[in-house]
Amino acid sequence: MKTLLLSIVITIIFAGCSTTVNSGSTASAKIKTHQIIAILPFEVRFDLRNSNSKKFTGKELAEVRHAMALELQQYLYNWLKNYSYKKSFTTRIQNVDITDSILTQKQISYLVLYSMPRTELAQILGVDAVLTPNVIFAQPNSEAMSLIMSSPGPLDPSNFQFYNNLATQQMRMQVLLTDRVSEKSMWTFETKTENSKFTRQVTASKQGDILYPLFENIDKTMKKFIKNFPYLKN
């Protein structure tokens, strides 16, 4: 599936971004006691409108969502890991390979992951808290404003048309922090970004970046996320 994403040919350009961060004083005190946290695979959704929603089968979207869930999880982990070399965190972050390995061993699939209590997931993963990220790619504009190509064919590394039909104008991202004791979120990060330009093809130099169509925009979001990350040392 990673190979499939090499053929994605869309990218979203942010026109604007609104960000909200919520955290209570009690939660902040508890957060300081955390020794290790884990990042769950992203919950990925596509809010396709008009006839676009009819261009894909449930199986096709499920495969793309699952692949993106793991790649985005890895990308967020890499961002935090790299940033920690510049500024220390008050907690350790479990390697996502270990996180995913434990989930696989416990037979917790992507389909059931987000229906489980996050407190239970934290305990299974042996961490003090979990980050639960979710992202929605939407088409808030008319279908005419989207880059709509011919109907997609089978999922195949050479099938650019499939990904062209997933062109979107908006991305909404939310990350929840949940302690292993209480299901109530201790910290919430939310941001919404808007697209201002049409999509463009991946350049040859970027073919090795599986999620390149999302990177340019997600990097901006990650900067905001890390700036507000509750485990930053003062």
Side-chain angles (χ1 to χ4, degrees), residues 13-126:
I13 307 299
F14 288 156
C17 179
S18 59
T19 302
T20 303
V21 178
N22 296 312
S23 179
S25 58
T26 303
S28 296
K30 180 66 175 178
I31 285 172
K32 293 179 180 179
T33 68
H34 291 163
Q35 299 294 311
I36 183 171
I37 65 171
I39 304 170
L40 296 176
F42 274 64
E43 181 178 19
V44 179
R45 287 176 286 171
F46 292 97
D47 181 13
L48 303 177
R49 301 189 179 185
N50 302 318
S51 62
N52 293 347
S53 61
K54 301 177 183 179
K55 294 179 183 290
F56 311 96
T57 66
K59 181 180 179 181
E60 288 172 336
L61 284 179
E63 290 184 15
V64 172
R65 289 173 59 200
H66 187 204
M68 285 187 173
L70 298 177
E71 292 300 333
L72 291 171
Q73 176 198 26
Q74 181 71 57
Y75 196 60
L76 175 55
Y77 172 75
N78 289 344
W79 249 94
L80 291 171
K81 179 180 178 181
N82 292 335
Y83 192 84
S84 69
Y85 297 143
K86 303 175 183 178
K87 190 169 183 178
S88 299
F89 299 146
T90 60
T91 189
R92 291 184 297 114
I93 302 171
Q94 188 176 77
N95 189 301
V96 292
D97 290 337
I98 295 176
T99 300
D100 295 342
S101 176
I102 294 174
L103 293 175
T104 299
Q105 291 174 8
K106 298 295 183 180
Q107 298 183 331
I108 301 174
S109 69
Y110 179 69
L111 295 176
V112 302
L113 179 65
Y114 285 94
S115 64
M116 294 180 61
R118 285 165 291 182
T119 51
E120 182 179 350
L121 288 170
Q123 292 167 19
I124 290 173
L125 294 170

Side-chain angles (χ1 to χ4, degrees), residues 199-215:
T199 59
R200 68 171 182 271
Q201 289 190 347
V202 175
T203 62
S205 63
K206 295 293 183 179
Q207 287 293 327
D209 294 334
I210 296 173
L211 288 174
Y212 172 70
L214 304 176
F215 279 3

